[in-house]
Each structure stands twice: as C-alpha cells, then as structure tokens.
Amino acid sequence: MEYVSYSIVIPAYNESDRIQESLTKIVAFLAEQSWTAEVLVVNDGSRDNTAEVVKRFAAQHRFIRLIENPGNRGKGYSVRNGMLQAVGDVVLFTDADLSAPITEAPKLFSEIQKGVDVAFGSRWLVAKMQTERQSIMRQIAGRMYNVIMRIVLGLNFKDTQCGFKAFNRKALETIFTRQHVERWGFDVELLFLARKFKLKIEEVPVEWAHDDRSKINPLVDGIKMFGEMLSIRWNSIVGRYTNPHLPKPVVTDATPVVKIAK
C-alpha cells in the first residue's frame, strides 16, 4: 500500500527550551524527504512561551500547526488530541525532546508500508543503540513496571514507554477513539487496545538518548501508572472499550498537509 501523507504529533508542556531545536531538526528532515506532511504541536497548558515559539515556526512553515489543550490535561490527553486532529495517512507521535531522533521515523513508516498497523520504537530490543542511557534507578523502575505490565495486561513487549509510535488510519481510529488514560500510563493502553482489536503490531529498535530534563518521576509517577494499568484491565473487563467513546476523526479532501520541497 502506498501512503502519500504523514502527520507528526508532538505533545508539549513547558518545552520552550527544547521545542525550537526539535522543530528545526524536524523541518530540515522533512525537507530532505520531500514528503507531503504536517506537524502538530499540542500545547498542554504550558506556563512558559512554548506556544509563542511554535507560532513563530508556523508563520514560516504552513505545515506546522499549534493545537491548544483546555488547560494542563496530561501527555496522554495531548497525544490523543493531536492524533484525532491529524489528517495524514500515517501518524507518528514523538516526544518534544526527540529522544528518538526524527531520522528514525522511516523505520516505523517502513513497517506500516509492509502492512503493520502499529509500529513503535523500542530502546531495549537493541540496547547498544542507546546513545545516552537512563540512570540505574530509572532503569530498575522501568524493568519492574514492564514485569508488572506483562502480568496484569499480558503485553509481551520489551519497551512500551518509548514515546515514538506510528499508526495507520485504521489503527488510529480504532485506538484513540477508545483511549481513556490521559496521563503517563497511556502508552500501554494504546498497545493493549491494539492487541485487543487484533491489529498488527511491530516493535522496532531505534536510536535513543535519555534527556536528564525528563519530567517523569520514577517513584511518584510510577505508582500512578500502576493504578492506570489496573484501570485499563478493569475497563476491558466491564466493556468500556467495546465501543468508541469519542467521535471518529473526519478527514476531508481539504487537508492542511503540505508537499514539502527540498
């Protein structure tokens, strides 16, 4: 199947220090690819000038869009908000710090082209591809979370938390209209839903570098994520995922994706 357009969704909360560099890299990368594409930055109620930085880029590049959340709602909400407004045939979300370089995106897109519905980056399939590792504490917390996730949700993946995931439109419309988790634990819900609805999933090793400015607290947020994991299992048991609770995105011919020339 030949896809013609791509969307890149970036959740952002107080990212004025990093978003300019990241958008500069993304703009340069897209120009090299000559893709038809759009970039959506979802501002999650930032208290700094994240929105102003994005607006300056959008004024220079019409394929960049700023989406404003109704206040600070969480990363999961931000990703869902951007994904449901994206119009590309393939939609990728990535962290604002580009811990996985945007140059790794073709690896995920290639899997989608081969017929996979969801392709997501992994830091642990080929650990030597990590150019900057997390602290030992974060690694231990991550491994513990992964073990519990396998027990509670039955997801047999090496790395669910890497913020670098791509979806075709079928997967996007199936998953994000049913997503409930709006904070840090949303990644496993996405993959749980993909497995529940028998979508084709591929975990792909990607280059990755930890950023010490990461906003997640391994202990405090880890406890919250465990609670969210239990809520995912409960939602499935009581049938909350059976039907979408959000409207299916409407994509018209008048889409804002732009052919980006070299």
Side-chain angles (χ1 to χ4, degrees):
M1 182 181 297
E2 185 65 28
Y3 291 102
V4 296
S5 62
Y6 300 91
S7 296
I8 298 172
V9 173
I10 308 170
Y13 175 66
N14 292 343
E15 292 290 357
S16 60
D17 291 341
R18 300 189 284 191
I19 197 66
Q20 180 165 323
E21 180 181 0
S22 294
L23 286 176
T24 299
K25 291 178 179 178
I26 290 172
V27 168
F29 171 74
L30 291 178
E32 291 175 356
Q33 307 307 311
S34 293
W35 286 344
T36 300
E38 65 171 353
V39 177
L40 296 79
V41 181
V42 185
N43 183 32
D44 190 27
S46 297
R47 297 189 299 270
D48 63 5
N49 66 334
T50 294
E52 285 68 31
V53 173
V54 177
K55 287 177 182 177
R56 288 200 295 270
F57 270 85
Q60 299 172 2
H61 307 283
R62 62 192 182 98
F63 57 87
I64 295 178
R65 285 199 278 156
L66 173 67
I67 297 174
E68 295 278 8
N69 283 350
N72 178 241
R73 296 293 300 270
K75 185 179 179 182
Y77 181 97
S78 300
V79 169
R80 184 182 67 196
N81 193 11
M83 299 296 279
L84 292 179
Q85 295 194 49
V87 298
D89 298 307
V90 178
V91 186
L92 165 81
F93 75 79
T94 183
D95 290 336
D97 61 3
L98 295 185
S99 290
I102 194 61
T103 51
E104 296 288 86
K107 292 182 179 179
L108 304 189
F109 295 163
S110 175
E111 294 299 323
I112 301 288
Q113 293 279 4
K114 294 175 185 176
V116 169
D117 299 304
V118 180
F120 67 100
S122 175
R123 299 164 290 188
W124 293 109
L125 276 180
V126 182
K128 65 181 180 181
M129 293 180 69
Q130 295 185 35
T131 57
E132 186 68 35
R133 288 202 175 192
Q134 296 173 311
S135 66
I136 294 298
M137 180 180 176
R138 285 179 178 272
Q139 290 185 49
I140 292 174
R143 297 299 176 86
M144 291 176 60
Y145 180 80
N146 188 270
V147 170
I148 296 171
M149 176 205 67
R150 289 169 183 250
I151 295 171
V152 175
L153 299 180
L155 296 177
N156 189 28
F157 300 117
K158 290 281 189 180
D159 184 7
T160 59
Q161 300 309 113
C162 181
F164 201 63
K165 295 180 173 67
F167 305 77
N168 63 17
R169 291 223 65 87
K170 171 187 173 183
L172 186 156
E173 293 170 2
T174 300
I175 294 170
F176 289 94
T177 57
R178 291 173 168 85
Q179 178 194 340
H180 284 268
V181 177
E182 297 184 348
R183 295 289 173 176
W184 294 110
F186 78 101
D187 286 276
V188 293
E189 185 180 37
L190 303 183
L191 295 176
F192 180 83
L193 287 169
R195 178 62 56 82
K196 181 178 180 66
F197 288 94
K198 296 179 170 49
L199 300 175
K200 296 179 181 178
I201 312 168
E202 188 68 31
E203 187 172 10
V204 181
V206 295
E207 181 183 330
W208 187 83
H210 175 65
D211 191 324
D212 289 331
R213 294 169 292 180
S214 173
K215 296 179 175 67
I216 190 169
N217 183 299
L219 179 59
V220 176
D221 292 314
I223 293 172
K224 292 178 181 177
M225 289 165 66
F226 174 68
E228 290 168 338
M229 191 190 303
L230 294 178
S231 74
I232 293 168
R233 171 54 70 189
W234 179 249
N235 287 343
S236 182
I237 291 172
V238 300
R240 287 182 182 151
Y241 294 134
T242 304
N243 298 307
H245 69 96
L246 293 170
K248 177 180 174 181
V250 177
V251 180
T252 69
D253 292 335
T255 62
V257 291
V258 175
K259 179 68 175 179
I260 305 171
K262 291 186 179 179

